């Protein structure tokens, strides 16, 4: 049934995924998600990657770790307050991102779609609500 709706609406892949995520039954009680942590070995791998920028992106498109080239190319996420270490926030609100990407509108659309997908799969949480509120303004 959902396939037929997606075809009739001519949804993109991201939109179709979001539709299917919204149609899944939700849990009555939200389960607590453990804090995301990057293992020391992954930090060593990132820092060893000296020929390309690399990021570790977590839930809500939060930036969990970066290497030196990613900090130079995007922004020094490690220097930002933890609440501001978010890729969607960077893409939408940071003027640097608008000049960094040739297709900024496409990247912004994809970033917001990833956040929508996450929101559709997980019960609302204060951090997500704050991020969406900030981006909406």
């Amino acid at each position: 049934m959902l396939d037929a709706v997606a075809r009739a609406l001519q949804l993109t892949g991201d939109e179709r995924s979001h539709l299917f995520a919204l149609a899944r039954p939700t849990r009555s009680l939200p389960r607590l998600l453990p804090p995301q942590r990057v293992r020391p070995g992954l930090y060593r791998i990132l820092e060893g990657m000296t020929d390309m920028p690399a990021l570790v992106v977590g839930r809500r498109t939060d930036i969990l770790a970066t290497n030196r080239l990613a900090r130079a190319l995007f922004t020094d996420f490690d220097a930002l307050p933890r609440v501001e270490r978010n890729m969607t926030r960077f893409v939408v609100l940071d003027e640097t991102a608008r000049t960094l990407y040739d297709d900024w509108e496409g990247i912004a659309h994809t970033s917001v779609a990833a956040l929508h997908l996450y929101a559709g799969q997980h019960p609302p949480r204060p951090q997500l609500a704050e991020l969406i509120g900030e981006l909406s303004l």
Side-chain angles (χ1 to χ4, degrees):
M1 174 72 115
L2 289 177
D3 280 325
V5 170
R7 277 193 309 275
L9 295 174
Q10 299 177 351
L11 299 180
T12 66
D14 288 337
E15 292 166 339
R16 186 178 185 285
S17 296
H18 186 63
L19 173 67
F20 278 79
L22 290 174
R24 287 188 196 117
T26 59
R27 297 176 186 92
S28 56
L29 293 175
R31 68 181 173 93
L32 294 176
L33 298 172
Q36 293 181 292
R37 300 198 193 314
V38 176
R39 294 179 185 209
L42 185 52
Y43 281 113
R44 287 191 297 275
I45 290 170
L46 283 173
E47 287 307 320
M49 297 174 74
T50 58
D51 58 345
M52 71 179 71
L55 306 156
V56 177
V57 181
R59 294 187 291 261
R60 296 180 311 268
T61 69
D62 291 334
I63 301 298
L64 303 178
T66 60
N67 69 358
R68 184 180 55 78
L69 286 177
R71 291 187 294 273
L73 177 63
F74 298 106
T75 191
D76 187 357
F77 287 104
D78 296 342
L80 297 174
R82 189 162 301 278
V83 72
E84 294 179 18
R85 297 177 194 172
N86 181 277
M87 194 58 165
T88 304
R89 184 183 190 287
F90 170 74
V91 168
V92 173
L93 300 180
D94 194 308
E95 287 298 319
T96 304
R98 292 178 187 262
T99 59
L100 179 64
Y101 296 106
D102 287 338
D103 180 21
W104 176 83
E105 286 188 26
I107 296 295
H109 177 78
T110 300
S111 296
V112 170
L115 204 55
H116 280 151
L117 183 60
Y118 176 82
Q121 292 175 336
H122 300 280
R125 306 220 187 271
Q127 284 179 311
L128 179 60
E130 288 174 23
L131 176 59
I132 291 171
E134 182 180 15
L135 295 174
S136 297
L137 292 175

